[in-house]
Amino acid sequence: MTQIQLSPSLLHLYIGLCLITSRSRRRVKYFKMRNIDVCLSSEGTEVILATSSDEKHPPENIIDGNPETFWTTTGMFPQEFIICFHKHVRIERLLIQSYFVRTLRIEKSTSEEPDDFEQWIERDLVHTEGQLQNEEIMARDGHATYLRFIIVSAFDHFASVHSVSAEGIAVSNLS
């Protein structure tokens, strides 16, 4: 008997597509697929590019799931980072935790390489003195393999991104 190893996100997809047939009534039911944070490094996601880096606050901190870590810009705007999912995902909700970000643009790509980005979302964030900005975005047409986050402007010379969460599901692997 052959065993197949599935990643947790592909297992969720597989379970979500399985049919259950009730013998007594012959009704077909579908499992509801459970959304996960597809932006975590533990799900295989990587930050593949950042326009600035500080060894104490590297860009990988954005997706490490640790609320105590963050990425910081090193001045001058715009600044950007690109997140690679290594699979096609469908995002339903984004949550960005940041500090001093004034205008944030998010672009997405469904290509196998980080190119052909299209503008997806642009937001002016509210300055929150002394606390993190928590920007929740309900996503429309959230299919992507890459996301590019561009900090267009900030409220200060430096800005930080503490986390990016993307609630969604893996749709398929890259071929």
Side-chain angles (χ1 to χ4, degrees):
M1 181 177 205
T2 306
Q3 289 187 339
I4 299 173
Q5 295 282 346
L6 294 175
S7 71
S9 56
L10 284 179
L11 181 60
H12 292 297
L13 178 63
Y14 175 76
I15 291 171
L17 296 176
C18 288
L19 296 174
I20 298 178
T21 305
S22 170
R23 290 181 187 200
S24 61
R25 296 191 181 165
R26 294 290 179 209
R27 287 185 294 166
V28 176
K29 298 179 183 178
Y30 291 90
F31 281 119
K32 177 162 173 34
M33 291 187 279
R34 187 175 71 95
N35 287 340
I36 59 171
D37 185 353
V38 295
C39 234
L40 288 172
S41 55
S42 60
E43 288 294 322
T45 301
E46 289 183 284
V47 176
I48 59 166
L49 177 134
T51 53
S52 62
S53 186
D54 177 314
E55 65 183 45
K56 292 182 181 177
H57 306 289
E60 294 79 21
N61 288 351
I62 297 168
I63 58 171
D64 68 0
N66 182 348
E68 302 297 319
T69 63
F70 59 91
W71 169 68
T72 186
T73 65
T74 53
M76 303 288 292
F77 293 94
Q79 294 279 333
E80 68 180 64
F81 59 93
I82 297 176
I83 291 177
C84 174
F85 297 107
H86 294 292
K87 55 193 157 224
H88 297 287
V89 298
R90 186 185 77 222
I91 299 167
E92 294 180 6
R93 184 175 75 104
L94 287 170
L95 178 62
I96 299 106
Q97 292 186 315
S98 58
Y99 197 65
F100 284 137
V101 174
R102 181 186 301 257
T103 303
L104 178 67
R105 181 181 309 136
I106 305 170
E107 300 175 346
K108 65 179 185 146
S109 172
T110 55
S111 300
E112 291 186 17
E113 297 296 325
D115 54 20
D116 297 327
F117 284 92
E118 62 183 65
Q119 184 169 332
W120 186 33
I121 297 163
E122 184 160 337
R123 290 279 173 92
D124 290 323
L125 280 60
V126 175
H127 179 58
T128 53
E129 188 64 43
Q131 58 186 347
L132 288 178
Q133 298 163 298
N134 290 297
E135 189 68 20
E136 181 177 359
I137 301 167
M138 299 309 289
R140 288 192 187 132
D141 188 29
H143 292 268
T145 44
Y146 297 92
L147 293 179
R148 177 167 39 202
F149 292 79
I150 303 167
I151 300 172
V152 178
S153 62
F155 291 104
D156 200 344
H157 297 292
F158 299 94
S160 61
V161 178
H162 294 249
S163 71
V164 172
S165 297
E167 186 179 295
I169 60 166
V171 177
S172 65
N173 285 325
L174 293 177
S175 308

